[in-house]
Amino acid sequence: MQRLGRFAFSWRRPGALHREVIARVALDFAVRKEFDYVVPEEWADRVEVGRRVKVPFGHREVLGSVVALVTTSPHTNLRPISKVLGRQAAMSESVIGLARWMAEYYCCPFEVALKSVLPEAVRREEPGWRERLQVRVLPVSGPVPELTARQREILSVVEEWRELPLSELLRLAETTAETVRRLEDKGLVQIRSEVSERDPYGAEEILPTQELALNAGQEGALKEVAEAIGKVPAGGGGETAAGGVAAPVFLLHGVTGSGKTEVYLQAIGRALERGLGAIVLVPEIALTPQTVERFKARFHHGPQRTLVAVLHSHLSAGERHDEWHKIRDGRARIAIGARSAVFAPVEPLGLIVVDEEHEPSYKQEEAPRYHARDVAVMRGRREGAVVVLGSATPSMESYYNARRGKYRLLELPVRADEARMPVVRVVDMRTESRKAKGPPVFSHALHEAILQRLERREQVMLFLNRRGYSTSLQCPKCGYVAGCPNCSVALTYHRQRQRLCCHVCGHEEEAPKACPEAACRNPAIRYAGLGTERLEDALAGAFPQARIGRMDSDTLKRKEDYRRVLTAFRVGKIDILVGTQMIAKGLHFPNVTLVGIVHADLGLHLPDFRAGERTFQLLTQVAGRAGRGDVEGEVFVQAFTPYHPAIQFARQHDYVGFYEQEIEFREQLRYPPVARAALLTLRGRNEEKVRWCAEQVGRVVSEGLSDLGDLIVAGPAPAPLLKAETFYRYQVMLRTRTMARLTALWPSCRERFELPDDIRLTLDVDPVDLM
Ligand code: ADP
Ligand code: ZN
């Protein structure tokens, strides 16, 4: 039987007998249909499943991917493929199968799912990549193969130059890349990418690291993971592990600083020893040079000497193209990246690590609306690879799966360096407001604690998840609030730039000097609410001796900025670092002994069933930044609802306690993870029309999906953020325990209603963003 899931798959024509080969091609745009093309005889051995091709479509030529090779087609008069792209197949059969699963599960066209699998630069044979291909002569051993006169001409050009860029050769010899490739097939020349590849982190010196001696918890966790890796067949598991035992999924629950990364590193080491590659997923926001270095430092040097390739959205198209090819060619065996790295062409694959698996950014908010953690689990299952999900605060979904035996739970209950967990003090801001007139920025206790740290020359991190200066501009006289013309939110005042900005759509306008209402014109217009910019200001006023740095997406316009601020903080040039959630993740500074969470309940009262979970996670993660050195850390949590369970359980570092009370609430209301949810959103510019359509859709869906015995239809209701980017939005939330059945029924249900052209409908399976 064909070994599926391997790149080695290639179709050879049987002997001299000419049988037509037909390529089934998925085009790059969504037509929900695949098309058959004839493979010209001379390309029979180059056209394989996963190969990118150019094909005629109507009067145009379009790009697509070969998804199957067949010998008969239900259609007649097939046209031939016009061009075969790249040097090799871009996708394995297994990854194509993964895209098929995504299309079904997330209810999107197969083409859309397939598109997300390849980086744009790889998909469209990005202009420029050819130029960087070099052609050089190869020494010939044995008899020189027969050549046409044309081929001999071309070969003589290459011989004259010894080595030259392919583009140059094409120009000099007036030939095509296909012709040169035929010389390559005969073993006369070699085409390869330039040696001087772009390396996004290339200029840095990275000091090698050795494997650390593990503590008992780490040892136990690694043992189980390594055992599982030991059972992955050499050469990879192949599709669905070829009937073998599916590789397990582990949930590594380790408190902040427990040394999860060291477990990942050593597990990867075990996979490499067995000739298997690994993928490491990291949330976009945590994919910092510091994170990448930890992996490079271990593997660029170590006994296994392998390259680590990085895939993320801050790379240029060219860099992404090169990094991807490093993996595809097998020069890099470890791929580290954000969400889409789950599709990295690592072959054979032994291990997928999803770090901070609870992070919402693993969910893609446009079609295909996939969750990279869930895709990782599915890919692991299909390819027989071990999956390790790691977090200090696992998602309710993953812990639920672990409790039910779907995942294997591994726990690291103590910090690796034996540092104690920080002491968390919750400050009741209601009493603070009564003492001062109006809510203060810092409580008395936090103020004292900061002073103490400044005296001891220790560092402080202050966390506020709201950027800008003030969160709204209000007129105390007439009640005017500056709102976004496109969205139903107040504009945020950014003092540095003297502008009002919308954090939803990006709209900006000049900040008025007086109330803009014609009848009012009050010059005493007021800035209400606290943002990081104002916090920085308040700090400078209260602690004139301190050096203050700020980190949020306003201060980090360029990619070096991030690094610059962090380096300044690390070397002690900054005493107090203020930031948004950007500073909450994965950073490690031994001299930080105090962390302040300025407004802990900011996200607690959002109309989202995960508000408590998010707050718990955020507080725990932020608190984890404190006391990672020799000095015990202290955390101040300022809150107006200090007795909320999310805050109290975070204070006690009690994940399981939090989980147990939270799961009860989810069970009662049948919210995920107890049931699965899908969110229908209708949007349009006319609110009345959107609402009316939402009502019709809600009714049809309730009927169309009535076969699902346990279906709950909530809504239609206006989205919490009713208007965004000029569109009004209404939602219907569907909940059921059998999502696979819902998505299977969806297409026929969708056919039951027609929407006006100016109303758009999206279906988000397992939604993360409910706003
Ligand atoms: P986590 O990812 O679980 O938050 P880290 O992997 O960042 O934790 O580890 C925290 C710190 O502990 C790091 O500085 C790391 O080098 C160190 N560390 C990890 N494992 C060990 C070990 N076995 N012995 C000593 N130090 C360790
Ligand atoms: Zn807006």
Side-chain angles (χ1 to χ4, degrees):
M1 214 193 88
Q2 258 315 336
R3 280 259 288 153
L4 297 176
R6 301 297 80 171
F7 278 114
F9 179 96
S10 90
W11 195 94
R12 303 269 164 199
R13 285 179 305 114
L17 188 74
H18 178 72
R19 267 173 75 202
E20 206 167 47
V21 186
I22 295 160
R24 192 148 288 166
V25 176
L27 306 181
D28 278 7
F29 47 90
V31 279
R32 292 175 188 269
K33 203 172 153 196
E34 287 146 40
F35 295 87
D36 290 347
Y37 292 90
V38 174
V39 179
E41 207 186 334
E42 70 268 31
W43 290 344
D45 54 355
R46 288 187 53 212
V47 176
E48 55 196 328
V49 173
R51 194 79 181 228
R52 298 283 298 157
V53 289
K54 194 175 255 181
V55 291
F57 188 73
H59 299 291
R60 299 183 291 156
E61 290 207 321
V62 297
L63 294 177
S65 306
V66 178
V67 293
L69 290 173
V70 293
T71 47
T72 54
S73 169
H75 308 282
T76 50
N77 296 329
L78 298 183
R79 298 158 79 183
I81 285 178
S82 359
K83 203 169 169 191
V84 187
L85 306 178
R87 280 168 292 163
Q88 54 200 349
M91 290 165 282
S92 64
E93 289 220 16
S94 172
V95 166
I96 294 173
L98 190 64
R100 284 212 193 272
W101 170 79
M102 280 166 56
E104 254 167 55
Y105 185 78
Y106 295 105
C107 294
C108 72
F110 173 52
E111 295 94 333
V112 172
L114 200 58
K115 210 167 160 174
S116 63
V117 161
L118 290 180
E120 188 76 2
V122 174
R123 251 183 351 98
R124 50 177 67 227
E125 196 200 2
E126 178 241 342
W129 76 272
R130 262 173 204 287
E131 281 108 70
R132 288 175 307 95
L133 289 178
Q134 295 281 114
V135 186
R136 61 173 190 143
V137 275
L138 288 177
V140 188
S141 56
V144 177
E146 245 178 69
L147 295 178
T148 64
R150 189 76 191 106
Q151 287 172 330
R152 242 176 291 137
E153 257 174 56
I154 298 164
L155 184 61
S156 67
V157 177
V158 185
E159 277 170 341
E160 196 181 309
W161 286 72
R162 303 272 290 282
E163 177 162 347
L164 78 168
L166 177 62
S167 56
E168 191 64 7
L169 175 63
L170 300 187
R171 201 177 57 78
L172 286 171
E174 295 181 85
T175 181
T176 63
E178 305 305 343
T179 318
V180 182
R181 299 252 177 236
R182 240 158 279 145
L183 287 177
E184 188 183 30
D185 291 344
K186 291 188 165 86
L188 297 169
V189 301
Q190 187 193 40
I191 305 174
R192 50 172 197 169
S193 349
E194 241 170 84
V195 204
S196 60
E197 227 160 10
R198 290 161 284 210
D199 182 342
Y201 301 98
E204 297 141 22
E205 279 290 322
I206 300 174
L207 293 176
T209 60
Q210 305 294 320
E211 293 200 343
L212 298 174
L214 300 181
N215 63 34
Q218 290 172 314
E219 191 72 60
L222 178 68
K223 187 168 161 274
E224 286 208 37
V225 177
E227 239 170 54
I229 291 172
K231 289 186 191 146
V232 178
E239 195 143 32
T240 322
V245 197
V249 177
F250 293 98
L251 175 61
L252 179 59
H253 173 212
V255 299
T256 52
S258 58
K260 293 184 287 295
T261 310
E262 188 60 32
V263 175
Y264 306 151
L265 287 166
Q266 298 197 20
I268 294 169
R270 301 300 172 87
L272 293 176
E273 275 167 20
R274 305 210 51 234
L276 304 166
I279 294 175
V280 181
L281 300 185
V282 173
E284 183 79 46
I285 199 164
L287 192 57
T288 60
Q290 205 184 1
T291 311
V292 174
E293 267 166 30
R294 287 179 81 174
F295 288 84
K296 291 198 167 179
R298 186 65 55 85
F299 298 108
H300 272 201
H301 310 268
Q304 289 132 345
R305 275 187 160 278
T306 181
L307 284 178
V308 176
V310 186
L311 293 169
H312 72 95
S313 65
H314 289 301
L315 302 181
S316 69
E319 283 170 339
R320 223 174 309 172
H321 173 271
D322 291 351
E323 292 292 290
W324 190 90
H325 277 283
K326 269 183 214 165
I327 306 166
R328 177 63 185 89
D329 298 347
R331 284 172 293 147
R333 308 299 313 282
I334 303 166
I336 173 166
R339 194 166 57 218
S340 66
V342 71
F343 305 114
V346 176
E347 285 278 322
L349 183 63
L351 175 67
I352 308 178
V353 172
V354 184
D355 191 25
E356 311 280 8
E357 65 84 26
H358 64 279
E359 267 295 307
S361 68
Y362 280 125
K363 173 79 173 177
Q364 174 152 299
E365 293 299 347
E366 62 207 52
R369 294 182 166 74
Y370 69 91
H371 198 300
R373 174 195 60 219
D374 299 336
V375 174
V377 169
M378 189 48 77
R379 183 166 179 191
R381 190 186 297 172
R382 300 180 60 88
E383 298 188 24
V386 175
V387 177
V388 176
L389 312 176
S391 174
T393 50
S395 60
M396 293 296 292
E397 282 78 0
S398 294
Y399 205 78
Y400 184 73
N401 281 333
R403 279 268 170 108
R404 301 202 317 152
K406 244 178 106 182
Y407 300 165
R408 286 203 224 159
L409 187 62
L410 304 171
E411 303 203 69
L412 304 179
V414 293
R415 285 188 157 183
D417 45 12
E418 272 152 25
R420 272 189 282 155
M421 294 301 282
V423 178
V424 180
R425 307 187 195 284
V426 178
V427 183
D428 186 341
M429 292 305 275
R430 293 169 307 181
T431 50
E432 291 284 324
S433 316
R434 259 174 257 137
K435 274 188 273 172
K437 283 173 270 120
V441 178
F442 327 102
S443 55
H444 179 70
L446 179 57
H447 190 276
E448 288 298 300
I450 294 175
L451 268 183
Q452 193 190 46
R453 294 318 183 301
L454 291 173
E455 272 161 27
R456 297 206 304 234
R457 309 213 142 272
E458 292 167 5
Q459 289 172 300
V460 179
M461 281 171 118
L462 285 187
F463 175 83
L464 176 64
N465 213 5
R466 209 150 60 171
R467 64 199 169 84
Y469 186 83
S470 72
T471 43
S472 69
L473 178 74
Q474 293 174 357
C475 175
K477 208 162 129 198
C478 74
Y480 165 86
V481 175
C484 176
N486 310 323
C487 312
S488 45
V489 292
L491 294 171
T492 301
Y493 174 53
H494 288 248
R495 197 167 73 169
Q496 235 161 1
R497 290 185 289 144
Q498 285 291 319
R499 292 180 84 75
L500 293 172
C501 309
C502 172
H503 288 178
V504 175
C505 73
H507 165 87
E508 284 195 17
E509 57 189 63
E510 208 164 321
K513 303 266 184 289
C515 177
E517 288 295 327
C520 180
R521 302 282 179 212
N522 174 18
I525 195 153
R526 205 173 52 198
Y527 297 105
L530 180 68
T532 45
E533 205 180 341
R534 189 174 204 165
L535 174 59
E536 188 186 5
D537 245 34
L539 275 171
F543 308 100
Q545 72 277 37
R547 295 161 301 172
I548 301 159
R550 174 160 63 95
M551 230 167 100
D552 54 38
S553 52
D554 293 320
T555 62
L556 307 173
K557 287 292 174 228
R558 285 164 303 140
K559 74 175 169 183
E560 315 83 68
D561 291 342
Y562 186 82
R563 183 145 234 219
R564 195 172 35 75
V565 179
L566 284 185
T567 307
F569 193 52
R570 181 164 312 110
V571 300
K573 286 188 184 154
I574 292 174
D575 303 310
I576 306 175
L577 183 64
V578 173
T580 54
Q581 59 179 345
M582 246 179 186
I583 63 171
K585 318 283 173 188
L587 299 173
H588 179 60
F589 301 102
N591 200 34
V592 173
T593 60
L594 173 65
V595 167
I597 298 160
V598 177
H599 194 164
D601 26 24
L602 207 54
L604 207 47
H605 310 295
L606 295 175
D608 178 340
F609 70 88
R610 289 194 183 92
E613 182 183 4
R614 293 270 162 71
T615 300
F616 175 82
Q617 289 167 344
L618 202 59
L619 296 187
T620 307
Q621 297 285 343
V622 177
R625 302 307 114 208
R628 292 186 135 210
D630 303 328
V631 193
E632 188 173 289
E634 204 179 10
V635 178
F636 281 85
V637 176
Q638 303 193 142
F640 289 92
T641 45
Y643 298 107
H644 193 285
I647 292 175
Q648 285 301 321
F649 283 114
R651 181 174 77 80
Q652 293 151 9
H653 309 289
D654 184 3
Y655 174 82
V656 176
F658 174 77
Y659 173 85
E660 274 166 1
Q661 70 89 35
E662 180 70 17
I663 200 75
E664 219 171 278
F665 146 70
R666 306 276 177 104
E667 241 149 28
Q668 274 165 13
L669 298 178
R670 275 209 278 154
Y671 273 121
V674 178
R676 296 209 162 208
L679 188 66
L680 284 167
T681 303
L682 286 99
R683 61 195 86 208
R685 291 221 158 85
N686 177 331
E687 187 185 350
E688 262 316 292
K689 203 164 164 186
V690 178
R691 193 178 52 78
W692 189 85
C693 289
E695 272 161 16
Q696 307 311 310
V697 169
R699 201 166 310 133
V700 175
V701 166
S702 305
E703 282 165 25
L705 299 177
S706 57
D707 283 1
L708 298 168
D710 68 341
L711 184 73
I712 299 176
V713 181
L721 188 66
L722 171 62
K723 189 179 169 201
E725 301 179 71
T726 74
F727 290 97
Y728 291 91
R729 295 116 32 91
Y730 272 71
Q731 301 174 333
V732 179
M733 191 195 264
L734 309 172
R735 305 206 294 280
T736 170
R737 283 177 204 266
T738 48
M739 184 55 69
R741 283 189 57 213
L742 190 155
T743 54
L745 288 173
W746 174 248
S748 65
C749 179
R750 178 66 189 84
E751 277 169 15
R752 292 189 183 199
F753 56 87
E754 218 173 307
L755 290 170
D757 286 344
D758 55 351
I759 301 285
R760 297 189 56 85
L761 172 74
T762 55
L763 175 66
D764 186 356
V765 175
D766 299 338
V768 165
D769 179 3
L770 306 178
M771 300 303 279

